[in-house]
Amino acid sequence: MTAPPVVLTIAGSDSGGGAGIQADLKVFEAHGVFGTSAVTLVTAQNTRGVQAVHPLPPDLVRAQIRAVLTDFPVRAVKTGALGTPAIVAAVAAELRGLNLPLVVDPVLLAKSGDALLDDLALNTLTRELLPLATLVTPNLPEWAALRQAGAPDTLPLLLKGGHAAGETVTDELRTPDHTLTLRAPRLHTRHTHGTGCTLSAAITANLAHGQPLPQAVRQAHAYLQRALRAAPGLGGGHGPLGFTPAPVTI
């Protein structure tokens, strides 16, 4: 039996299961890749908001990453909520020089609006982690914050347009030699918790399968639309998505 591609997510834990490490692992499973993880911070949260956040010691984050990378044939990596400048620097130090596809989801806020990355950590992320990225996946407010922190226009970027007005949501993949515009009708639903994690995790899984970046993004975008429509209706706030199996196309 052929072993599946292995991917690594470096992100926070969401006790509600709709975002962070938990969502990433569900998306990886749906895409036929084997998910490994390094937890950066632990949150107490549900669909209504974040009640507590506890960043882990940077040395423990580094140890998790090293444990995975020294034993598993990792094919792609993604990062999510990193929390503190020291954790960002630790993650960058472990990933520097690996020559693996790296998707950076610059998580600044939870869906509830609770902060998951402070200003100093944002500056560290911009300076140390973004230069390593194959793709960065900010929404419009995150991109504005990254630009203010000094992020260059030359980054391979998937700019997510969900915060813009209108009945059509437009995402744009920008690379030095390619621009891809992806549109979808706006779904008026409160079940949107973990959309950014789901999209970036799906892209990472597709890259691990060997897809070129535009194809990986296009298929992940389509998967997100299906996941939004398959939401199980849980919780009284921003509910989780439905992590249905995804067809694997290489």
Side-chain angles (χ1 to χ4, degrees):
M1 181 176 178
T2 303
V6 178
V7 291
L8 167 63
T9 174
I10 305 168
S13 171
D14 172 5
S15 55
I21 291 283
Q22 287 84 347
D24 291 345
L25 293 176
K26 293 170 187 175
V27 173
F28 293 159
E29 182 75 15
H31 282 76
V33 299
F34 184 84
T36 62
S37 63
V39 180
T40 57
L41 53 89
V42 176
T43 70
Q45 68 173 293
N46 51 30
T47 66
R48 299 180 186 274
V50 178
Q51 288 80 51
V53 179
H54 181 71
L56 296 185
D59 285 349
L60 179 56
V61 176
R62 294 189 73 162
Q64 293 176 80
I65 296 170
R66 199 169 299 168
V68 171
L69 292 177
T70 56
D71 191 42
F72 292 84
V74 174
R75 296 273 296 273
V77 181
K78 71 150 285 192
T79 65
L82 300 179
T84 70
I87 292 175
V88 175
V91 170
E94 290 299 318
L95 299 183
R96 195 170 289 115
L98 284 182
N99 196 30
L100 290 172
L102 170 62
V103 177
V104 174
D105 185 13
V107 180
L108 306 187
L109 300 173
K111 185 65 68 177
S112 58
D114 297 278
L116 295 176
L117 194 74
D118 63 29
D119 289 342
L120 183 56
L122 176 63
N123 291 332
T124 308
L125 182 143
T126 302
R127 184 177 65 253
E128 297 194 27
L129 191 60
L130 294 193
L132 309 179
T134 304
L135 182 69
V136 185
T137 62
N139 57 35
L140 292 172
E142 289 167 344
W143 181 232
L146 289 171
R147 291 291 289 126
Q148 187 172 5
D153 285 327
T154 54
L155 286 172
L157 180 73
L158 177 62
L159 187 60
K160 301 176 294 189
H163 286 77
E167 291 303 303
T168 299
V169 176
T170 301
D171 297 346
E172 189 170 86
L173 173 65
R174 304 174 184 173
T175 71
D177 55 3
H178 193 96
T179 299
L180 174 65
T181 301
L182 299 164
R183 296 183 176 89
R186 185 178 299 278
L187 298 178
H188 294 279
T189 173
R190 64 181 177 85
H191 299 290
T192 57
H193 185 55
T195 51
C197 301
T198 298
L199 180 61
S200 58
I203 294 169
T204 308
N206 291 337
L207 291 173
H209 278 298
Q211 294 181 7
L213 183 59
Q215 181 183 355
V217 170
R218 187 187 297 277
Q219 291 198 2
H221 181 267
Y223 177 79
L224 176 60
Q225 310 314 308
R226 295 195 298 273
L228 282 162
R229 291 185 172 90
L234 298 174
H238 297 287
L241 310 186
F243 302 101
T244 57
V248 177
T249 304
I250 302 174

